[in-house]
Amino acid sequence: MTRRTPLALAVLLASGLAGSAQAAGTLHFANWSDYYPPELLKKFEKDTGIKATLDAYDSNETLLAKLKAGGGAYDVVVPSDSFIQIMVQDGLLQKFDKSKLTNLKNLKANFQSLGFDPGHDYSVPYLWGTTGYSYDSKQVPGGKLDESWKPFFEPPAELKGKVVALNSIEDLYIAASHYLSIDQCTEDPKDAKKIQDLLLAQKPLLAMYNSDGTIERMAAGEVAMHMQWNGAFHRAHAQRDSLVYVYPKEGIHVFIDNLVIPKDAVNVEEAHTFINWMMLPENIAAASNFAKYNNAIEGSDKFMEKELFDDPAINTPQDKLDRLRTFKLCSPKALSLRSKVWTKLKK
């Protein structure tokens, strides 16, 4: 699952991550592609005197595999909320020295304690957003669709072959569970079968499963509907004003991406310096302005582009707040059912 990437795996800066001994005063940072402004890393170098490099990856699964293979090449990485506890349980992250994270006090009240890491022992929020879907009002029947998952999972005949789903079991399974009013962490095989049946019925109506190029595809009008992250929608909408972002009434998944330090990180002091620096309002705002996602830092609003707050896809309207569904940790049994559904779907 590529999270917010028009160009997956694009290495934004020379990384030099060969796993060899790394000099003090250096930070090796890895993040999702096209999800961190290169100029902000230059500002970090100027502010701190620490030399920084940036590498890119395309999914949580790719990052997890890299860390399992030996994460010493990275000092800070950005996994999503759903992967934090997995990485902690696998011993892949190290605890923060909170005496070096004085800017934790800058976290907004509703981000002070998060279910996947209540004490921020291993993670602090980077950016957050929602996973809904968008459509081109010029290409859909009647020019408007219901604020529901129904048009996505059961698209009208006119849209056959013009709908794209993200290539991610997490995103698809959770959305389907909301649509069917099934607990996303269900351990009942009958519930999982209902989700599987829905996804299998949708499959022949899709153009593809693809998490890359969501911005370009919708901006160019290549397809009529796309499961999409709200920041990617914002960037596509800037190029094509007929696009609409949907907050399905059945519920929409909220994701939080986080800054963490891998267990095998070499430049730990520099990692703490970077994470603390990123919790300064003007710095995190620069990341928001670049990637078009909201953040968790108090006071960042005054540094953010007004257009982000004017876009309801980014600044969720009050009457849609009750549709937001935050991360839920599922049991191994529930995750096993989810995996089986994905295997069946992708045969």
Side-chain angles (χ1 to χ4, degrees):
M1 170 194 70
T2 311
R3 172 84 75 203
R4 297 141 286 264
T5 65
L7 293 174
L9 296 178
V11 177
L12 303 182
L13 294 175
S15 60
L17 301 181
S20 57
Q22 298 165 354
T26 299
L27 175 85
H28 293 297
F29 178 39
N31 199 346
W32 301 77
S33 320
D34 201 37
Y35 199 37
Y36 191 91
E39 62 272 16
L40 185 59
L41 211 57
K42 293 176 183 177
K43 181 176 184 289
F44 171 72
E45 291 182 324
K46 184 177 180 181
D47 287 356
T48 66
I50 296 170
K51 178 176 170 54
T53 60
L54 179 61
D55 192 16
Y57 51 84
D58 68 330
S59 70
N60 281 302
E61 291 83 359
T62 297
L63 174 61
L64 182 63
K66 284 177 179 285
L67 295 186
K68 284 185 174 181
Y74 303 133
D75 301 311
V76 177
V77 295
V78 187
S80 303
D81 43 17
S82 56
F83 274 69
I84 296 297
Q85 290 183 331
I86 293 171
M87 291 177 176
V88 170
Q89 290 166 2
D90 286 351
L92 298 174
L93 305 182
Q94 60 176 273
K95 274 194 172 184
F96 291 142
D97 178 350
K98 292 184 192 173
S99 69
K100 297 175 181 176
L101 297 180
T102 55
N103 290 329
L104 275 170
K105 66 181 183 296
N106 292 341
L107 286 175
K108 293 177 180 177
N110 53 329
F111 290 91
Q112 289 285 351
S113 180
L114 298 169
F116 56 90
D117 185 17
H120 295 294
D121 292 325
Y122 297 92
S123 64
V124 297
Y126 172 55
L127 301 179
W128 67 273
T130 57
T131 308
Y133 71 91
S134 65
Y135 66 85
D136 187 346
S137 61
K138 291 183 178 179
Q139 295 190 55
V140 304
K144 188 175 181 180
L145 298 176
D146 291 340
E147 291 186 350
S148 165
W149 281 112
K150 183 177 177 63
F152 173 72
F153 285 115
E154 302 177 47
E158 298 94 322
L159 297 185
K160 182 178 180 180
K162 297 181 180 180
V163 180
V164 181
L166 292 174
N167 191 29
S168 160
I169 180 55
E170 180 182 357
D171 289 320
L172 274 173
Y173 192 96
I174 290 175
S177 71
H178 291 332
Y179 176 46
L180 297 174
S181 298
I182 292 172
D183 184 347
Q184 64 176 277
C185 291
T186 182
E187 296 183 353
D188 187 341
K190 292 181 181 178
D191 286 339
K193 179 68 163 52
K194 291 177 183 176
I195 292 173
Q196 177 178 289
D197 288 346
L198 178 68
L199 296 178
L200 286 173
Q202 180 199 36
K203 186 175 181 178
L205 305 176
L206 297 175
M208 68 185 86
Y209 297 97
N210 202 327
S211 299
D212 290 341
T214 73
I215 298 169
E216 293 86 350
R217 206 170 286 119
M218 288 302 289
E222 292 177 12
V223 294
M225 189 191 303
H226 211 309
M227 193 177 199
Q228 200 167 37
W229 301 290
N230 62 329
F233 163 80
H234 178 90
R235 295 166 74 171
H237 184 249
Q239 302 173 60
R240 192 178 188 86
D241 62 9
S242 55
L243 302 184
V244 178
Y245 187 72
V246 179
Y247 285 91
K249 60 188 178 185
E250 299 91 353
I252 183 170
H253 177 61
V254 175
F255 62 81
I256 303 173
D257 293 325
N258 304 269
L259 298 162
V260 304
I261 303 176
K263 184 69 173 178
D264 297 331
V266 174
N267 304 304
V268 177
E269 185 74 28
E270 290 80 1
H272 281 87
T273 298
F274 176 70
I275 292 173
N276 199 52
W277 184 86
M278 282 302 302
M279 287 189 282
L280 290 172
E282 66 182 272
N283 296 331
I284 195 64
S288 284
N289 290 337
F290 173 82
K292 310 306 179 187
Y293 290 91
N294 218 324
N295 65 73
I297 298 300
E298 200 69 60
S300 62
D301 303 9
K302 62 183 178 182
F303 297 101
M304 289 170 63
E305 296 170 352
K306 183 178 181 293
E307 64 176 29
L308 290 177
F309 287 93
D310 291 342
D311 185 352
I314 305 299
N315 190 23
T316 306
Q318 286 294 124
D319 64 348
K320 305 280 196 307
L321 289 175
D322 63 349
R323 301 181 182 184
L324 302 183
R325 304 288 184 269
T326 54
F327 168 74
K328 186 174 181 181
L329 181 66
C330 300
S331 69
K333 183 176 180 181
L335 293 176
S336 177
L337 282 176
R338 188 182 294 186
S339 179
K340 288 176 181 176
V341 168
W342 187 241
T343 300
K344 178 76 172 178
L345 182 66
K346 296 307 288 285
K347 276 187 177 180

